[in-house]
Amino acid sequence: MVGKSNSLISLEELTKDDILYLLGQAGKFENEPNRKILDGKVVATLFFEPSTRTRLSFETAANRLGARVIGFSDAATTSSTKGETLKDTIMMVSNYADVIIMRHYLEGAAKYASEVSPVPIINAGDGANQHPSQTMLDLYSMMKTQGTLDGLDITLVGDLKYGRTVHSMLTAMRHFNSRFRFIAPKELEMPDEYKEYCDANGIRYTESKDFDEDVINTSDIIYMTRVQKERFTDLMVYESVKNAYILRKQMLANAKSNLKILHPLPRVNEIDQDVDTHPAAYYFQQAKNGLYIREALICNSLGIQV
């Protein structure tokens, strides 16, 4: 078991050894994903914000481990619509479950839940803040395809302002000596607080608005992100940036042989569908890797090793 508590709110809480341990556990689950080691346990999935991959991945992980799953995928069907506070919801559900997996639209909601909950909380995304389980599957995907997390050239493209997946990645990669390129329009560039985090933790990075073949041809990992309409209060700004970057197959003609293209999904049009058949396309396998890392995270929250 790793971490200062059984909850997982941010990868800031984990050491390099913790991260490598969890990646190793995920590898064991990939070799044998069906293990009835959580028989008699109950996992609650509380999704106050829409999700497909994350929720189904966590629920599949729990089912393959033999746990029962309770919860909801639409907050409109819960007592929160009657005015029930997050604290009361968490306290109520903790009476029934051994671990709570929660996605919420408010930044800091997962941390607050972990402070009031008597059972472990796993953060499945809180607003534009953090998404630690996504980052862990991203790291697992990079480790599998590159053989290391050290010394990589990683290009982050698109919505770096609201994209909680890229924010989480930076907190994890402070332990590894890789280089980042931040590619975004001015309206969506990496927030100052995360650039300051990189400076404070020795994470090397450059910033640019240009996503060209020079960038593509020198990348080991290209991490594309969706411009998230739901994060914008001004739809005119959204319309002006939604198609800022589109990756097409012909742009990969001179890419490195080890290049892998990742995306937290869902995609809209930032990766053209003709890229799907290119050897560098890895985003669907990346999503599959989420099952194994989430099995590891659920077990870790319950103090179970494999």
Side-chain angles (χ1 to χ4, degrees):
M1 186 177 68
V2 301
K4 296 176 183 176
S5 74
N6 289 358
S7 292
L8 178 63
I9 307 306
S10 167
L11 296 183
E12 182 71 24
E13 304 162 2
L14 303 186
T15 67
K16 181 177 182 179
D17 287 344
D18 291 339
I19 290 172
L20 294 175
Y21 164 79
L22 288 168
L23 296 179
Q25 291 284 288
K28 293 179 181 179
F29 282 117
E30 181 170 4
N31 292 331
E32 188 181 342
N34 298 310
R35 303 172 184 239
K36 301 302 181 183
I37 56 179
L38 296 187
D39 186 38
K41 300 292 186 182
V42 176
V43 174
T45 54
L46 310 186
F47 280 71
F48 294 87
E49 187 179 56
S51 169
T52 302
R53 276 148 300 279
T54 302
R55 181 176 62 83
L56 292 180
S57 179
F58 266 119
E59 292 183 353
T60 301
N63 280 305
R64 288 189 178 275
L65 294 171
R68 293 180 179 270
V69 178
I70 63 171
F72 56 82
S73 58
D74 183 359
T77 65
T78 74
S79 292
S80 63
T81 61
K82 304 174 185 177
E84 183 175 61
T85 65
L86 177 59
K87 177 182 178 181
D88 286 2
T89 300
I90 294 296
M91 295 300 292
M92 181 272 296
V93 174
S94 68
N95 290 325
Y96 313 135
D98 298 287
V99 57
I100 295 173
I101 298 159
M102 188 181 85
R103 169 169 288 188
H104 203 281
Y105 51 87
L106 291 178
E107 296 182 24
K111 185 176 189 301
Y112 173 75
S114 71
E115 291 170 350
V116 300
S117 175
V119 302
I121 300 287
I122 296 177
N123 182 9
D126 61 328
N129 186 30
Q130 296 283 322
H131 196 349
S133 70
Q134 176 69 47
T135 294
M136 288 302 300
L137 75 89
D138 295 341
L139 299 188
Y140 186 65
S141 297
M142 288 191 282
M143 181 73 87
K144 278 190 66 176
T145 60
Q146 307 298 317
T148 182
L149 294 175
D150 289 298
L152 300 179
D153 285 299
I154 302 170
T155 301
L156 307 180
V157 184
D159 184 358
L160 308 188
K161 179 177 181 179
Y162 300 109
R164 57 193 171 199
T165 62
V166 297
H167 301 163
S168 279
M169 184 181 292
L170 292 178
T171 64
M173 290 300 287
R174 73 190 187 279
H175 299 300
F176 303 96
N177 188 30
S178 289
R179 297 166 294 277
F180 284 90
R181 278 177 288 208
F182 302 155
I183 309 293
K186 181 174 178 57
E187 296 86 348
L188 295 175
E189 64 185 18
M190 187 68 72
D192 287 342
E193 64 186 283
Y194 289 102
K195 289 184 281 188
E196 291 166 5
Y197 182 89
C198 290
D199 294 336
N201 287 275
I203 300 171
R204 292 171 289 169
Y205 68 91
T206 58
E207 284 188 284
S208 176
K209 297 177 180 61
D210 300 322
F211 184 47
D212 53 30
E213 293 191 15
D214 286 340
V215 170
I216 292 169
N217 296 343
T218 54
S219 296
D220 299 307
I221 297 290
I222 295 176
Y223 195 94
M224 300 295 295
T225 65
R226 171 178 65 97
V227 177
Q228 304 173 79
K229 184 177 181 180
E230 64 270 24
R231 304 290 178 212
F232 286 80
T233 55
D234 186 339
L235 290 183
M236 291 292 289
V237 177
Y238 167 74
E239 291 293 330
S240 71
V241 298
K242 67 177 183 180
N243 295 319
Y245 306 109
I246 299 175
L247 180 61
R248 295 184 171 89
K249 191 173 185 177
Q250 64 264 31
M251 298 167 68
L252 300 169
N254 297 308
K256 296 169 70 172
S257 60
N258 64 303
L259 171 68
K260 287 295 177 280
I261 301 161
L262 304 184
H263 192 305
L265 301 177
R267 69 170 164 183
V268 182
N269 62 348
E270 59 278 355
I271 300 178
D272 196 282
Q273 292 196 16
D274 69 358
V275 176
D276 295 354
T277 58
H278 192 279
Y282 195 75
Y283 27 91
F284 294 122
Q285 296 97 315
Q286 174 191 2
K288 185 176 183 180
N289 290 338
L291 170 64
Y292 314 127
I293 199 68
R294 288 178 173 125
E295 286 186 309
L297 294 178
I298 291 171
C299 284
N300 184 68
S301 72
L302 295 170
I304 296 172
Q305 290 184 324
V306 295

